[in-house]
Amino acid sequence: MFKPAAPKFYTPTEAMQKIAAFCAYQERNQKEVEAKLRSYGLDEDEAGEIIIRLSREKLLDEERYAQAYVRGHYSNKKWGRRRIMQELKQKGLSDYCIKSGMKEIDGDVYYQNLVDLLEKKDRQEKERHPGKRRQKIQVFLMTKGYEQDLIKMAMDDLGKEAEEE
C-alpha cells in the first residue's frame, strides 16, 4: 500500500537554499513562498527573515511577479483585464504591484485577443437562435474577464456574424 512521504523539515539555512532555487525557477509571490517555507517546518519569524533576504537579493519581487503574470495570462490564456486583476488580488498583491503589472497590456493586442476569442467561440457555438447565441458568446467573453463595452464593440465590429449564423 502506498504511504505518502512524511513532510521533511529543514533548518533555516537549508530552507534558504531550497527556496532560492524555487524562486529562481520562475517568478513567485510572497504568499506562495511563505506557504512553501511553512511546509518546511519553519515558524513565522524564520519564514519572514528568509522572505526579506530573498527580496533584498532580488529573488523575490512582487512587482516583477505581477508583470510576468499579466504578460503570460493576457497573451497565452487570452484573459481580460478584470479576470487578471481579480486573480492578482486573490494572490495578495498590493494595488501598486497590480497597477504596475497591468501596464504590460498593449491595448491593440488586447482588443485583437478579444476579437480572436469572439470569432473562435462564434464558430464553435451550436445555438441557432440569434439572441441566445449572442448572449452565450457575451457570457463566455465576460468569464474570460473582458469588459462589457469592449465585448459589445467587438460584436458590433464583426457585424452580423454573431447574430445571423
Side-chain angles (χ1 to χ4, degrees):
M1 192 159 134
F2 176 73
K3 204 174 187 183
K8 188 157 181 350
F9 296 106
Y10 297 95
T11 66
T13 309
E14 292 170 330
M16 181 62 196
Q17 289 177 329
K18 284 197 65 77
I19 208 75
F22 180 69
C23 290
Y25 177 71
Q26 75 180 41
E27 291 296 335
R28 308 284 181 182
N29 69 352
Q30 277 186 330
K31 224 174 172 181
E32 284 176 296
V33 172
E34 186 175 1
K36 191 78 161 168
L37 288 169
R38 296 301 292 248
S39 78
Y40 291 166
L42 297 174
D43 65 33
E44 203 173 321
D45 292 339
E46 292 169 328
E49 283 176 33
I50 290 176
I51 287 173
I52 290 168
R53 192 166 154 202
L54 290 169
S55 296
R56 251 190 254 124
E57 293 177 13
K58 297 287 184 215
L59 283 168
L60 185 64
D61 185 333
E62 299 257 297
E63 191 175 347
R64 197 174 60 211
Y65 172 83
Q67 291 166 346
Y69 189 90
V70 169
R71 271 193 311 272
H73 286 75
Y74 113 93
S75 57
N76 299 337
K77 292 191 173 189
K78 309 241 186 286
W79 282 5
R81 286 185 186 97
R82 289 174 44 237
R83 173 114 183 241
I84 293 171
M85 285 177 72
Q86 185 180 9
E87 296 284 330
L88 288 173
K89 280 181 184 166
Q90 276 185 335
K91 291 182 179 296
L93 270 71
S94 69
D95 288 343
Y96 173 80
C97 290
I98 293 173
K99 279 189 183 105
S100 175
M102 296 307 279
K103 289 177 186 168
E104 295 293 311
I105 295 178
D106 175 288
D108 296 335
V109 175
Y110 183 77
Y111 187 74
Q112 191 55 53
N113 285 348
L114 171 59
V115 170
D116 293 346
L117 278 173
L118 172 58
E119 289 172 340
K120 182 177 179 185
K121 186 66 178 170
D122 189 46
R123 285 191 303 272
Q124 293 173 341
E125 186 53 59
K126 290 172 176 42
E127 179 63 58
R128 291 283 166 224
H129 186 274
K132 288 180 183 173
R133 178 187 191 85
R134 187 175 177 94
Q135 187 177 15
K136 279 186 169 188
I137 293 171
Q138 276 181 318
V139 168
F140 168 75
L141 293 170
M142 285 177 71
T143 59
K144 280 287 201 174
Y146 288 94
E147 299 85 343
Q148 186 74 45
D149 56 332
L150 275 180
I151 294 172
K152 186 178 178 349
M153 193 189 321
M155 290 182 104
D156 292 344
D157 285 353
L158 258 75
K160 299 270 186 249
E161 269 185 61
E163 291 173 27
E164 278 179 5
E165 279 186 33

